[in-house]
Amino acid sequence: MFLSVFDLFKIGIGPSSSHTMGPMTAAARFLDELLGDDWPRPTGAKVDRLAVSLHGSLAFTGVGHGTDRAVVLGLTGLTPVTVDPDGVDEVLSQVAAAKRVCPPGHPGYHFDPAADLVLDKKTPLPGHANGMAFSAFDADDRLLLRRIYYSIGGGFVVSDEELQRMKAEGPLRGSGGKKVPYPFGNAKEMLAMAAKSGLSIAGMKRANEERHMSREELDAGLDAIWEAMRGCIERGLSQEGIMPGGLKVKRRARKLHDRLQEEWSRNRPNPLLANDWLSIYAMAVNEENAAGGRVVTAPTNGAAGVVPAVMRYWLHFHVEADQESIRDFLLTAAAVGGIIKHNASISGAEVGCQGEVGSASAMAAAGLCAVMGGTPEQVENAAEIALEHHLGMTCDPVGGLVQVPCIERNALGAVKAVTAASLAIKGDGTHFVPLDAAIETMRQTGLDMNERYKETSLGGLAVNVVEC
């Protein structure tokens, strides 16, 4: 099994990898299909109008997560990587006024977001909770092409046909089934390969990646990921005001950061200092994500603050931290994240927040334990501890926005990750519950979890907190 570090850590835009980045990517895929020949195009037929329907969780929380906006942006030809967060409103205003999208390389199509973008809460699509249907019509309103896509978490998008193949063949193999020297599909295999090869988890992951790119390309890509994460933290620490969406939730990271800086400069004793910094770093990222800023899936947008916060903590409090250790951190975290995605899910709409913040905390714990000198067994133990204590966590965003409880939940996920790494590094790697067992438990718990608690905002905090 091989899932690239660049599949798990993708530079994109907030507020949601599954509800924003995924639908934007799906729109781009549909545009590509329109230009292709892999569909029965009637002789002389020309596409005149486009229409999109959102289903399941995308319908229930799409507006809060910016899904409607993301689809429009995607139909203009923008992608999560190319879109300028500061120019989004202008693009949306132009489409709404013209009732038309003109993606590069296309003739231009009629598309009125008010009429042609439907949030269908009554008709779930059978493949996944995050389903969407794209349709193309000619000038006589005759349907020419219809495609169904599913956003399966972390910005990953599959077609209806691809999803059916995945279910028939087993879990997603990732990256087109590329062959690698260490194709571990679970934690048990990972540890066995590490013992046989004498390599660290980061070392095996690096060898897998370098089978398909040069060392220089890999390091440059890892550095770009960290730079985007670091930039997101810095932007989040510099902003104030009310986050969009209607809940009137205030940004807090900057004020908390300024207060900590003051304590730091005065050398005032603070036994909770490390936890405070961790929390502020994570909150800065997720406040920026909630505002639709530039973020990195880690492994999702809703959980994007955990890994960067722990990495920044590593650089802040550990004198041995350097750029090479940052790369090892990301490679180790990606190895664990790939195992979780391969055997369970990182989608809140599929398994609840245990699959998002729980997975992120396990990845961060593994990465931190590794760079602190942990053995592969200790790294696996750290990931298991972090994941085990997120099991059963629901996804119940108030108002369908990635704000409450998501922002603080990332802070606590980061704290748990550091605690898990600290506990594991003090042991010898032996422990009672294997990581694979925790992952399988998460998968089973997600299957048993009521749909109201899986990103639909129909249960939990989402219905027990009065929106002000």
Side-chain angles (χ1 to χ4, degrees):
M1 189 277 290
F2 174 67
L3 191 67
S4 174
V5 61
F6 303 114
D7 290 327
L8 281 165
F9 297 117
K10 294 191 285 286
I11 299 173
I13 188 174
S16 172
S17 50
S18 61
H19 285 55
T20 311
M21 289 173 59
M24 195 182 303
T25 300
R29 285 193 58 172
F30 186 67
L31 290 177
D32 287 342
E33 291 206 49
L34 287 180
L35 293 181
D37 297 320
D38 193 24
W39 56 283
R41 187 194 303 265
T43 303
K46 295 182 179 180
V47 176
D48 179 74
R49 180 175 69 88
L50 305 181
V52 183
S53 58
L54 305 176
H55 302 261
S57 179
L58 296 182
F60 283 106
T61 62
V63 174
H65 285 72
T67 309
D68 51 342
R69 294 158 60 90
V71 168
V72 176
L73 294 171
L75 291 178
T76 67
L78 293 170
T79 69
V81 176
T82 61
V83 64
D84 176 9
D86 295 328
V88 165
D89 289 339
E90 182 179 354
V91 174
L92 295 174
S93 296
Q94 290 174 351
V95 173
K99 299 180 180 180
R100 189 174 181 83
V101 291
C102 299
H106 291 254
Y109 310 110
H110 288 97
F111 180 77
D112 180 2
D116 295 321
L117 179 56
V118 177
L119 278 67
D120 187 346
K121 299 180 180 179
K122 296 181 179 180
T123 315
L125 296 178
H128 190 278
N130 292 336
M132 61 202 109
F134 289 75
S135 301
F137 302 86
D138 65 11
D140 295 324
D141 217 30
R142 177 177 53 168
L143 178 64
L144 299 178
L145 177 65
R146 185 174 188 264
R147 288 287 187 264
I148 292 175
Y149 302 100
Y150 296 101
S151 181
I152 59 175
F156 290 87
V157 172
V158 294
S159 68
D160 194 30
E161 294 78 9
E162 290 166 344
L163 185 65
Q164 296 309 313
R165 284 201 302 271
M166 286 166 50
K167 291 182 176 180
E169 299 172 1
L172 178 67
R173 294 289 164 181
S175 297
K178 294 179 180 178
K179 292 184 178 181
V180 293
Y182 303 102
F184 49 83
N186 54 47
K188 183 178 180 180
E189 292 176 357
M190 179 179 70
L191 293 179
M193 290 182 187
K196 184 177 181 179
S197 66
L199 294 174
S200 66
I201 293 172
M204 292 191 297
K205 185 65 176 170
R206 175 174 284 278
N208 288 346
E209 297 286 349
E210 289 180 1
R211 179 61 63 90
H212 307 289
M213 67 183 73
S214 69
R215 176 172 289 261
E216 292 73 22
E217 289 172 326
L218 175 59
D219 286 345
L222 294 172
D223 293 347
I225 289 172
W226 168 240
E227 184 60 26
M229 288 178 169
R230 187 198 63 78
C232 186
I233 293 174
E234 295 303 323
R235 288 193 305 275
L237 293 177
S238 68
Q239 302 297 314
E240 290 184 303
I242 305 295
M243 286 178 286
L247 292 184
K248 300 180 181 179
V249 176
K250 293 182 178 180
R251 288 181 181 248
R252 292 182 288 162
R254 178 173 178 173
K255 287 187 176 180
L256 293 173
H257 173 262
D258 291 346
R259 188 180 304 171
L260 268 186
Q261 285 281 51
E262 182 181 354
E263 290 183 6
W264 185 275
S265 63
R266 294 183 180 182
N267 291 321
R268 294 175 60 180
N270 180 358
L272 297 176
L273 187 63
N275 281 356
D276 288 345
W277 280 112
L278 270 169
S279 299
I280 290 170
Y281 292 148
M283 291 172 64
V285 171
N286 285 87
E287 287 177 358
E288 190 66 18
N289 177 62
R294 178 73 65 208
V295 295
V296 179
T297 62
T300 68
N301 282 29
V306 178
V307 170
V310 176
M311 292 174 70
R312 183 67 176 267
Y313 155 86
W314 163 247
L315 291 171
H316 191 153
F317 287 98
H318 293 259
V319 295
E320 66 272 32
D322 58 16
Q323 189 63 30
E324 189 60 35
S325 69
I326 287 295
R327 296 166 185 162
D328 287 343
F329 190 117
L330 287 170
L331 289 168
T332 306
V336 169
I339 289 173
I340 294 174
K341 179 170 176 54
H342 178 67
N343 294 289
S345 176
I346 57 172
S347 169
E350 195 169 17
V351 296
C353 197
Q354 59 176 350
E356 296 204 31
V357 171
S359 297
S361 188
M363 292 165 63
L368 180 60
C369 185
V371 296
M372 289 196 300
T375 64
E377 290 77 15
Q378 289 171 320
V379 169
E380 185 260 0
N381 187 16
E384 185 280 323
I385 293 171
L387 183 60
E388 180 182 348
H389 299 289
H390 284 89
L391 292 176
M393 183 175 286
T394 59
C395 183
D396 48 358
V398 177
L401 300 170
V402 193
Q403 297 178 15
V404 181
C406 315
I407 294 171
E408 288 181 353
R409 188 166 283 176
N410 274 257
L412 272 294
V415 171
K416 285 184 181 181
V418 172
T419 303
S422 180
L423 285 172
I425 203 76
K426 292 177 174 64
D428 61 5
T430 59
H431 54 106
F432 191 77
V433 179
L435 175 58
D436 289 330
I439 293 172
E440 173 59 17
T441 301
M442 184 180 77
R443 186 190 70 83
Q444 293 176 3
T445 303
L447 290 174
D448 293 339
M449 190 179 292
N450 189 289
E451 294 299 321
R452 291 179 298 170
Y453 302 107
K454 292 193 283 189
E455 213 168 1
T456 59
S457 290
L458 296 176
L461 285 176
V463 300
N464 288 303
V465 175
V466 177
E467 297 181 25
C468 301

